[in-house]
Amino acid sequence: MNDGSDAGIAGRNTPRKRLLRGIAVQTAAVAAAVHLLWAWPRLGSPPDARPYFFLAGSALAAAVAVATLRGGEYRRLYALGAGTLGAFLGGFLAWHGGDAAAALAAEPLAVVAVIVEVVGVGAYLALYRLAPPTSVVVERRRGGGDVEREDAAEEESP
């Protein structure tokens, strides 16, 4: 747990956070794309509601990816990213139940989706763990340009 200090969590652009953010953004984008690829040809199939849920989930995953890339380091955003990818994963397991392994063997897109979702959940949870509490980030934003100067100094230092 964090003790409330900024030690070890200061700066959005530390190398570890940049790497994790890149992984998280890429996995969210790939998961969104895979779900769109699966859902698009199945739209209009009245008895199956999954394509519509996949469209909504893909839009959310893409929005979270963009916000992760361009926004501040907010724990709530990282929790939303992990939750979105985890919901895809949990939904797959709930839909197929005990036949999940057979469904994975039959559908290559499902294999890709499961792999990127597991990696993405891990990356978002690691970002969540490394991020300062939201109140600290909000206070930094209110403080003005000091945060940007700190981030620039971190990028320049070896």
Side-chain angles (χ1 to χ4, degrees):
M1 288 305 241
N2 284 335
D3 59 359
S5 70
D6 285 344
I9 58 174
R12 180 179 188 273
N13 288 320
T14 61
R16 183 187 316 172
K17 289 181 183 179
R18 278 197 315 253
L19 175 66
L20 287 169
R21 205 168 40 251
I23 292 169
V25 167
Q26 289 177 23
T27 57
V30 169
V34 166
H35 284 84
L36 283 175
L37 285 171
W38 185 91
W40 194 258
R42 292 166 178 83
L43 287 174
S45 303
D48 194 0
R50 288 179 298 169
Y52 301 103
F53 286 119
F54 284 5
L55 286 177
S58 295
L60 180 60
V64 168
V66 169
T68 300
L69 187 63
R70 303 202 32 95
E73 61 176 334
Y74 295 106
R75 281 185 162 185
R76 293 175 184 159
L77 175 63
Y78 300 148
L80 180 62
T84 301
L85 296 178
F88 279 143
L89 189 59
F92 178 80
L93 295 173
W95 183 267
H96 293 288
D99 295 333
L104 277 175
E107 184 66 47
L109 282 176
V111 173
V112 172
V114 166
I115 291 170
V116 298
E117 288 159 7
V118 168
V119 171
V121 166
Y124 274 112
L125 290 177
L127 284 168
Y128 179 88
R129 179 81 172 115
L130 292 172
T134 300
S135 60
V136 171
V137 176
V138 170
E139 187 60 35
R140 285 180 183 169
R141 285 229 180 235
R142 285 186 189 148
D146 294 336
V147 174
E148 286 144 17
R149 281 194 294 258
E150 290 172 12
D151 287 346
E154 287 177 12
E155 287 178 8
E156 292 174 6
S157 65

